[in-house]
Amino acid sequence: MEMKIDPQLLASRALEQKKNATGAQKNDPQKLKEACQQFEALFVNSMFKEMRKSVPTDGLLPPNGGQQMFQEMMDWEVAQKASATQGIGIAEALYRHLQGPVENKKP
């Protein structure tokens, strides 16, 4: 049985939970930064998936479902940690691009 983890579903659920828990103030720069980091994490995770497709899976032992699931979860965690720290620059560029309209809308 193969179980796929959809990072987009995880991210949307996490953002929805944060929104419900905190009351989600509109035009909050911190929320914008978190959303940009989540977007970068999704991008990096997708990049990891595509890179893994190019690696041959033949070896001494064939990969099983548990290994694949663990690898997907590990990739997702690495992508999140990378985007939360330095990242590859997408989150910062997106934040700078969207920051102007958010700050201009504050009452």
Side-chain angles (χ1 to χ4, degrees):
M1 182 165 101
E2 187 175 315
M3 182 179 210
K4 296 280 183 177
I5 297 173
D6 185 7
Q8 294 170 336
L9 182 60
L10 292 174
S12 64
R13 283 186 182 172
L15 290 174
E16 186 66 31
Q17 288 173 350
K18 284 183 182 180
K19 180 179 177 183
N20 292 338
T22 61
Q25 300 173 6
K26 290 185 177 181
N27 304 326
D28 185 5
Q30 183 61 30
K31 298 282 184 204
L32 177 62
K33 189 168 192 165
E34 289 174 10
C36 292
Q37 288 174 343
Q38 285 290 327
F39 176 79
E40 183 174 339
L42 287 171
F43 180 82
V44 170
N45 189 48
S46 296
M47 198 168 63
F48 285 163
K49 278 185 182 180
E50 293 303 315
M51 288 190 306
R52 290 220 185 270
K53 288 179 185 178
S54 69
V55 176
T57 57
D58 58 339
L60 185 60
L61 297 173
N64 62 32
Q67 289 173 323
Q68 185 178 1
M69 184 172 40
F70 175 77
Q71 191 65 60
E72 289 176 4
M73 290 189 316
M74 181 67 174
D75 287 347
W76 177 244
E77 284 298 316
V78 169
Q80 283 187 314
K81 296 294 181 191
S83 68
T85 56
Q86 182 75 22
I88 59 175
I90 293 174
E92 183 63 31
L94 189 60
Y95 178 76
R96 280 184 284 151
H97 179 75
L98 296 174
Q99 186 177 14
V102 169
E103 289 187 359
N104 290 338
K105 290 181 182 177
K106 281 190 175 182

